[in-house]
Amino acid sequence: MTRRTLRSDLIAGPHPVEAGVWLVYDPVTGRQFEIPEAGWALASAFDGRPVPAIAGATGMTPEVVAGFADRIAALGFFGARARPIERVEPQWSRAPLGDDFEIEVHPDASFECTGAGTCCEQGYVIPLSPKKAAAVRRAGLRVLGPDADPVGLVPTRPGQPWTLALDNEDVCPFLDDSKRCRIHEGAAYPDACRVFPFVFAQWRGTVFASVAHRCACGAFGGASLRAQRRGLASRARRLGRVHTVPEASRVDPEVEVASEEAVDVLIGATAERSAFAMLRAAASGLVALSGGRRRRRAPGARLFGSLAERTDDAFVDAALTGAPHPRSREVRRALRRMSGPRGTAQAQAARFVRDHLFGLRPYHYATLADGLCALALAAHRVVTDLPARDAAIAARERVMLWEEALTTDALPSLLNGRYDIQAVAAQIDALDPESA
């Protein structure tokens, strides 16, 4: 008797508007399907058991179950059950912004949009509220014509409702040939676009603002963030909910400290000038907080390969294996059009590490040790084995790639408390090209 198993990589969740309807996304084919909620519940029962067993568990007849199985088999829903890596919950969580907060920025941080357009060509998920989606559709009628619908539905996480989003799988439909947004000044302009590339982390009454290095414009510096504090506060309020650090911080699987001390260590480390000096200062500070007890052996550069064997995330795989950015051609074209990044690869790596530490982004991981370990892997890749030609462009491409990889769910799940903080301190030394 045929035993069928629902594919574990399908992403399904409730429709955000239509009750009783679930949406299913197939990451292999890119296809989306609508299915009744009860239908998805039945599909989820296919775990390798024979049809009579599923029929008995669901209260349906074997004929009904078998007929349903044939229908979803034609959609490609069945396959070998993979053993997915369990998603690790980050330390921080999104919480409402406090009524009275102070924006804090690094004194050396800067950013100015120079119109590279790479952020609009990455296919990012731009979530829309129903009200904003209606405004985007009205703008689409005016700018794109009656046959184009600029709003789509995208999955979030398994079991969670899908979200209305800008339909920009390849390129934003509102980006013109001059890399300018055709709705930038209107009511339809999405909040996510208005906030980008700034990110915010809240610790008690302070909101730390920093730059995410996902676009080419971040390679060129620009206006000091100190001069943009008022605008940054407005952007944070527009978000309403921001990443918030808990009262206690997990340094590694065995050590928990007061977040006040851990935050001071991460922020203080950004006073150093080079990427690995910052990482070393952060790690040594956390070692001191942990009492300096244990130590597991650090694998050095071998860690790239051991992690790459266990992931199917495109950005994480490319970052770990040294492959190009998945959109390398567009990224390099934009950087060349703008006469390349300013500064050496080492300077770019330093800005990248500084902004991650100051933005408290190691809290995206299960432990701060994991966050520092991942950031050390990134810094190593950015500055080593660069081509003789266009080294600065190659370094910036790697920064943009690692920005994507570090903020996925995949890399935290791959690390998942693998090392204690002493081992990570040793790992940082092993990955530092200056200490090799």
Side-chain angles (χ1 to χ4, degrees):
M1 184 173 293
T2 302
R3 297 170 182 252
R4 286 163 160 168
T5 302
L6 186 72
R7 285 170 46 196
S8 61
D9 59 339
L10 298 174
I11 303 174
H15 195 291
V17 178
E18 299 180 22
V21 175
W22 274 49
L23 299 164
V24 184
Y25 174 69
D26 184 340
V28 175
T29 65
R31 297 174 66 194
Q32 296 180 5
F33 306 91
E34 288 191 5
I35 185 171
E37 183 177 4
W40 180 252
L42 178 55
S44 300
F46 284 87
D47 56 3
R49 291 177 294 172
V51 164
I54 295 174
T58 59
M60 299 181 183
T61 67
E63 292 76 17
V64 168
V65 172
F68 178 79
D70 289 340
R71 290 196 297 276
I72 63 172
L75 301 178
F77 280 18
F78 292 134
R81 179 172 286 275
R83 290 181 296 174
I85 296 173
E86 183 179 356
R87 180 179 179 271
V88 173
E89 291 296 325
Q91 292 200 66
W92 64 10
S93 60
R94 289 192 181 274
L97 194 65
D99 293 332
D100 186 19
F101 65 89
E102 180 180 349
I103 288 284
E104 191 70 34
V105 298
H106 193 280
D108 297 330
S110 62
F111 179 81
E112 185 173 348
C113 178
T114 52
T118 50
C119 57
C120 308
E121 298 174 326
Q122 297 293 320
Y124 292 134
V125 174
I126 307 298
L128 304 169
S129 66
K131 181 178 179 181
K132 183 67 74 171
V136 168
R137 282 194 165 113
R138 289 194 297 270
L141 284 173
R142 184 181 70 255
V143 176
L144 307 173
D147 296 328
D149 184 357
V151 176
L153 289 164
V154 296
T156 51
R157 291 196 176 115
Q160 297 299 310
W162 285 35
T163 184
L164 293 164
L166 193 64
D167 189 3
N168 63 340
E169 183 174 350
D170 295 316
V171 176
C172 176
F174 294 108
L175 187 69
D176 68 18
D177 293 339
S178 300
K179 308 296 182 184
R180 294 294 184 267
C181 177
R182 290 182 282 186
I183 59 170
H184 190 278
E185 304 303 326
Y189 191 53
D191 289 342
C193 300
R194 201 175 297 277
V195 171
F196 187 88
F198 301 109
V199 290
F200 302 93
Q202 180 175 221
W203 164 241
R204 292 182 175 170
T206 301
V207 174
F208 294 91
S210 58
V211 177
H213 291 265
R214 284 177 161 174
C215 70
C217 297
F220 300 93
S224 169
L225 294 197
R226 280 182 164 179
Q228 303 183 55
R229 285 191 189 208
R230 180 175 297 180
L232 290 169
S234 175
R235 286 177 166 91
R237 290 190 183 94
R238 185 176 291 275
L239 286 174
R241 300 173 68 86
V242 297
H243 285 119
T244 301
V245 172
E247 288 293 320
S249 299
R250 291 190 301 275
V251 174
D252 61 27
E254 299 179 31
V255 175
E256 191 172 273
V257 300
S259 289
E260 184 173 6
E261 297 176 304
V263 168
D264 284 347
V265 165
L266 296 179
I267 299 299
T270 65
E272 301 292 337
R273 306 309 299 176
S274 72
F276 277 93
M278 292 183 218
L279 288 164
R280 198 171 284 112
S284 62
L286 293 176
V287 166
L289 291 180
S290 72
R293 290 185 291 277
R294 309 143 325 278
R295 176 170 171 178
R296 288 179 243 174
R297 184 178 179 184
R302 296 194 307 277
L303 185 55
F304 287 106
S306 66
L307 294 177
E309 291 175 354
R310 302 168 55 220
T311 185
D312 57 3
D313 183 282
F315 286 103
V316 174
D317 181 71
L320 292 171
T321 60
H325 191 292
R327 301 186 74 96
S328 176
R329 181 178 300 178
E330 294 88 344
V331 169
R332 288 177 174 250
R333 185 186 301 128
L335 289 168
R336 290 193 179 99
R337 187 174 65 247
M338 302 167 71
S339 301
R342 298 191 187 110
T344 63
Q346 288 73 19
Q348 293 185 64
R351 287 200 303 272
F352 181 51
V353 170
R354 177 200 70 204
D355 290 340
H356 265 260
L357 292 177
F358 195 86
L360 304 181
R361 279 171 253 177
Y363 282 96
H364 178 62
Y365 290 73
T367 68
L368 297 180
D370 284 356
L372 291 185
C373 183
L375 192 52
L377 292 172
H380 177 85
R381 277 280 194 242
V382 170
V383 299
T384 57
D385 299 325
L386 291 167
R389 183 182 178 185
D390 289 338
I393 287 177
R396 182 60 193 180
E397 179 187 346
R398 294 180 188 181
V399 164
M400 293 171 64
L401 171 62
W402 274 95
E403 179 73 57
E404 300 285 358
L406 289 173
T407 54
T408 63
D409 291 336
L411 197 49
S413 298
L414 290 172
L415 288 169
N416 193 14
R418 177 178 286 219
Y419 302 109
D420 60 47
I421 189 60
Q422 288 83 3
V424 169
Q427 174 78 348
I428 289 168
D429 286 335
L431 291 173
D432 184 357
E434 298 298 320
S435 63

